[in-house]
Amino acid sequence: MCGIVGAVSNRDIVPILIEGLKRLEYRGYDSCGVAVHQRGELRRARSTSRVAELAAGVQAEGIGSGTGIAHTRWATHGAPAVHNAHPHFSAGPGVDSASTGFGELDAGDAAAASGRIAIVHNGIIENHDELRAELQQRGYVFASQTDTEVIAHLVHSLYDGDLLDAVQQALPRLRGAYAIAVFARDEPHRVVGARQGSPLVLGIGHGEHQGEHFLASDAMALAGVTDQIVYLEEGDVVDLQLGRVWISAADAQGRYRPVERPVRTVQAHSGAAELGPYRHYMQKEIFEQPRALADTLEGVEGISPELFGDGAHSVFKQVDRVLILACGTSYYSGSVARYWLEAIAGIPTTVEIASEYRYRDSVPDPRTLVVTISQSGETADTLAALKHARSLGMEHTLTICNVATSAMVRECKLAYITRAGVEIGVASTKAFTTQLAGLYLLTLALAQVRGRLSDEQEAAELKALRHLPVALRAVLALEPQVIAWSEDFARKENALFLGRGLHYPIALEGALKLKEISYIHAEAYPAGELKHGPLALVTAEMPVVTVAPNDALLEKLKSNLQEVRARGGELYVFADADTHIDSGPGVHVIRMPEHYGALSPILHVVPLQLLAYHTACARGTDVDKPRNLAKSVTVE
């Protein structure tokens, strides 16, 4: 959600800024822009088109500089429009910095000619209304509806020739979450960044480009530019200049003091952004799941609490409950894990939507293992829920996360790092299945500590886990059959998904995938709930997708399917081979290659991903960048 790139260098950094924005497109955005310090003035270009169109405009306008910032915006305050796009300028009281896109670079444009402060911002400033009113009283003219422009004018109002000092004075006045990068007309080759609640990294140039420095919201934006990365911590302010960089943080009295942060060598996997033979990143990532699972399970020779970090055995011995905190797709993986944890490990488990948990009165238990799940490790709601749980005295924390250097991993005592690789498509696929693998390992480790996993059971579980990549390849071979179904679904506007037991969350995930990329309204229910309301929706125009593994609930599920057929509903069933559910009038069946017991959800979700993907393709939607959605939700 939103992306920042900034740089200070002796070379022209505009191509680096543009390439960085392209690498951040996967996060989701509806406008983009770049601003530089050029020939003693601030110049910028903004667009509500894609980064490629911005790049063409920048080249046509001859924008080039060694100092600049760039941004992809996902709209929160104000509609997706050029005047709301970042970067924002402040030229002082009485000057309107309004613009109309690339035309703003004309010599007669007031903002370009007299702009003094330029800023990009990720996050949400909660007190922007009161700050806006204060600044308007002081004569500042606002050209946008954004909370970001408030920061630009606030920094300008405090600026007296030292940008770092102005930013440090401004930050205590901001309430909310932010990552910012700002530079001033009067200080060439200087960019100041700060973060609170939103991620921001510092890149250090080396080799022939030693002395240059970069800012980005994601290390991936700097792939191919530098692998020397500093992950800024909450409250850090960083001052980038040629050959010099300072990081400071406020002490208990609010005074900024220098701090040291480690420099890490980070491989940002730039090659992951290549599509290869696939039409979309989502399709590529669906087919990468066998490899992602194999990588996630690599090195697991036995079940041990220490898979989750040093001291995990001691922690697991102390806990007698599990609380899972997550959002979206990660919430559904946690919902599957609840069935595993209670049935296999025998430990009471609660799964909470992170954005709801922190705002309700709950009953804390210090013997609870708090488990967070996040692909990015920067999900704002989940981080806030984690901090809330800790504030209630629940200090045993563990995360299942795909990014080893993320805030979530740093905040939790224990972690299991999935190895899904970079996931570009907004609709999560391989991150979900690898989360399930990590959660299953957690289940087995807790079962072992609680005396519920014999040596024979451990060997059988490890054998099943190692076979998962092979089993997934067999499921992916069903794609042609799923494509045939997608042609029917593309003509529908509503769909119902059914599941029972631990496959109910898989039905929820299937419905989410269909709605978020094809824009078909889809809902999921436990099949036993049909008679309690959803059955009223069933007609021949309402496809009903059913997950039908051969488990203890199969016969109950078959009765639910008969209820649908009796009302003229069209059934689309993903059934295990030995379920004896056959195709017929109004019943369409795709047979899964094998029944996989407790691990069945990992296999059954894959054809649901394929169904959503191919339905979206048939409807002509933007599969990888669905409307109104962002990949990394770093604001509340």
Side-chain angles (χ1 to χ4, degrees):
M1 179 178 285
C2 300
I4 288 174
V5 191
V8 172
S9 174
N10 275 321
R11 55 174 163 161
D12 179 12
I13 47 80
V14 171
I16 293 173
L17 298 181
I18 295 295
E19 183 61 27
L21 292 187
K22 289 179 179 178
R23 294 189 184 282
L24 294 176
E25 284 189 291
Y26 77 97
R27 297 167 72 95
Y29 69 105
D30 41 48
S31 63
C32 51
V34 61
V36 301
H37 190 289
Q38 186 173 9
R39 294 191 296 273
E41 300 293 345
L42 303 187
R43 304 187 71 199
R44 71 179 169 191
R46 301 182 291 180
S47 173
T48 54
S49 297
R50 292 300 183 191
V51 173
E53 283 75 20
L54 176 71
V58 164
Q59 184 176 13
E61 294 290 344
I63 296 178
S65 174
T67 303
I69 54 179
H71 193 263
T72 52
R73 175 181 186 251
W74 189 82
T76 54
H77 296 76
V82 169
H83 68 277
N84 287 324
H86 300 211
H88 287 284
F89 283 174
S90 178
V95 180
D96 185 350
S97 60
S99 63
T100 56
F102 297 118
E104 71 184 22
L105 300 176
D106 293 342
D109 177 55
S114 61
R116 197 176 184 195
I117 300 293
I119 191 170
V120 291
H121 162 232
N122 291 352
I124 291 177
I125 304 304
E126 295 172 357
N127 61 330
H128 69 98
D129 280 336
E130 62 188 73
L131 290 173
R132 180 186 295 262
E134 174 189 323
L135 290 161
Q136 284 175 328
Q137 286 183 344
R138 298 172 63 179
Y140 284 90
V141 178
F142 284 79
S144 75
Q145 289 80 49
T146 68
D147 52 344
T148 302
E149 192 180 4
V150 169
I151 312 175
H153 290 318
L154 180 61
V155 171
H156 184 282
S157 72
L158 298 167
Y159 184 68
D160 191 24
D162 186 336
L163 183 62
L164 177 63
D165 181 65
V167 171
Q168 289 177 337
Q169 288 186 63
L171 295 180
R173 305 227 32 216
L174 305 179
R175 291 201 311 270
Y178 56 79
I180 63 171
V182 55
F183 71 98
R185 181 194 64 193
D186 300 336
E187 296 182 78
H189 294 114
R190 189 182 201 185
V191 173
V192 173
R195 67 153 297 189
Q196 182 69 48
S198 290
L200 192 66
V201 303
L202 164 67
I204 308 293
H206 56 92
E208 63 177 309
H209 298 300
Q210 188 170 356
E212 63 184 14
H213 297 104
F214 305 89
L215 286 176
S217 48
D218 186 326
M220 185 176 175
L222 304 179
V225 177
T226 181
D227 60 0
Q228 299 300 290
I229 301 296
V230 176
Y231 289 87
L232 300 175
E233 297 186 9
E234 290 287 273
D236 281 357
V237 180
V238 59
D239 184 1
L240 282 64
Q241 298 186 36
L242 278 176
R244 308 174 73 179
V245 62
W246 294 268
I247 303 174
S248 60
D251 60 20
Q253 288 73 43
R255 294 187 295 267
Y256 280 89
R257 307 290 190 189
V259 293
E260 296 290 332
R261 302 291 183 233
V263 179
R264 308 187 188 195
T265 300
V266 175
Q267 301 299 323
H269 307 293
S270 59
E274 302 300 326
L275 264 176
Y278 299 99
R279 288 180 63 188
H280 300 93
Y281 289 112
M282 183 179 178
Q283 184 186 30
K284 178 189 179 191
E285 288 153 11
I286 289 172
F287 277 83
E288 285 175 340
Q289 287 177 110
R291 168 52 56 192
L293 277 168
D295 289 346
T296 295
L297 297 169
E298 185 179 3
V300 179
E301 300 299 330
I303 301 303
S304 166
E306 266 51 49
L307 290 169
F308 299 88
D310 295 339
H313 187 275
S314 174
V315 170
F316 289 0
K317 290 288 286 184
Q318 295 177 56
V319 301
D320 51 28
R321 300 188 66 84
V322 173
L323 168 63
I324 296 175
L325 303 172
C327 301
T329 286
S330 296
Y331 171 75
Y332 296 145
S333 69
S335 298
V336 172
R338 178 189 176 190
Y339 287 91
W340 289 337
L341 286 161
E342 296 198 339
I344 299 172
I347 187 166
T349 301
T350 302
V351 188
E352 295 264 7
I353 296 172
S355 59
E356 291 292 318
Y357 169 71
R358 62 184 293 221
Y359 292 114
R360 73 175 185 85
D361 293 330
S362 57
V363 181
D365 181 350
R367 293 183 62 84
T368 296
L369 178 64
V370 179
V371 178
T372 64
I373 310 171
S374 171
Q375 187 281 134
S376 67
E378 304 289 351
T379 308
D381 286 318
T382 308
L383 281 168
L386 169 65
K387 293 176 183 178
H388 177 66
R390 290 175 59 187
S391 75
L392 296 176
M394 294 186 285
E395 290 296 331
H396 301 309
T397 57
L398 181 151
T399 189
I400 306 292
C401 185
N402 193 43
V403 182
T405 53
S406 65
M408 201 76 72
V409 174
R410 295 195 300 271
E411 291 285 339
C412 289
K413 291 182 178 179
L414 303 174
Y416 192 83
I417 308 302
T418 59
R419 298 175 64 186
V422 175
E423 192 176 63
I424 302 293
V426 166
S428 182
T429 52
K430 61 179 180 174
F432 178 73
T433 48
T434 54
Q435 285 171 355
L436 289 175
L439 289 163
Y440 199 74
L441 288 174
L442 175 62
T443 299
L444 297 179
L446 284 167
Q448 184 186 72
V449 169
R450 296 167 70 85
R452 296 172 63 97
L453 186 70
S454 67
D455 291 344
E456 293 77 12
Q457 289 171 318
E458 178 181 347
E461 295 287 5
L462 287 170
K463 181 179 179 181
L465 284 167
R466 293 185 184 120
H467 183 62
L468 269 177
V470 175
L472 266 183
R473 291 188 187 98
V475 174
L476 289 167
L478 299 173
E479 185 181 35
Q481 298 175 59
V482 176
I483 292 173
W485 281 14
S486 71
E487 295 170 359
D488 293 336
F489 274 74
R491 296 188 291 269
K492 307 297 184 181
E493 293 301 327
N494 300 280
L496 192 63
F497 286 68
L498 302 178
R500 297 205 71 149
L502 57 80
H503 291 83
Y504 166 51
I506 296 304
L508 286 165
E509 173 64 8
L512 176 62
K513 285 292 160 284
L514 187 67
K515 73 180 76 171
E516 67 184 335
I517 63 170
S518 75
Y519 314 146
I520 293 172
H521 174 249
E523 298 295 337
Y525 287 90
E529 284 292 291
L530 269 176
K531 295 186 292 293
H532 298 279
L535 200 57
L537 296 172
V538 172
T539 69
E541 292 302 308
M542 171 75 84
V544 179
V545 182
T546 307
V547 181
N550 188 9
D551 59 15
L553 292 171
L554 178 62
E555 293 308 316
K556 297 288 186 183
L557 181 63
K558 287 182 178 179
S559 297
N560 303 139
L561 301 188
Q562 291 303 317
E563 293 169 355
V564 172
R565 283 301 303 132
R567 275 76 181 177
E570 289 278 320
L571 284 165
Y572 294 80
V573 185
F574 292 102
D576 285 348
D578 49 0
T579 55
H580 305 294
I581 300 175
D582 299 315
S583 296
V587 182
H588 314 273
V589 178
I590 291 179
R591 299 204 177 278
M592 300 289 286
E594 58 183 305
H595 175 55
Y596 221 65
L599 289 168
S600 174
I602 298 178
L603 300 187
H604 269 278
V605 76
V606 174
L608 299 182
Q609 295 169 350
L610 288 169
L611 179 61
Y613 170 72
H614 286 291
T615 300
C617 289
R619 288 169 69 96
T621 61
D622 191 340
V623 172
D624 289 329
K625 303 182 186 72
R627 68 189 182 203
N628 305 332
L629 300 180
K631 181 64 178 175
S632 299
V633 185
T634 55
V635 298
E636 186 177 354

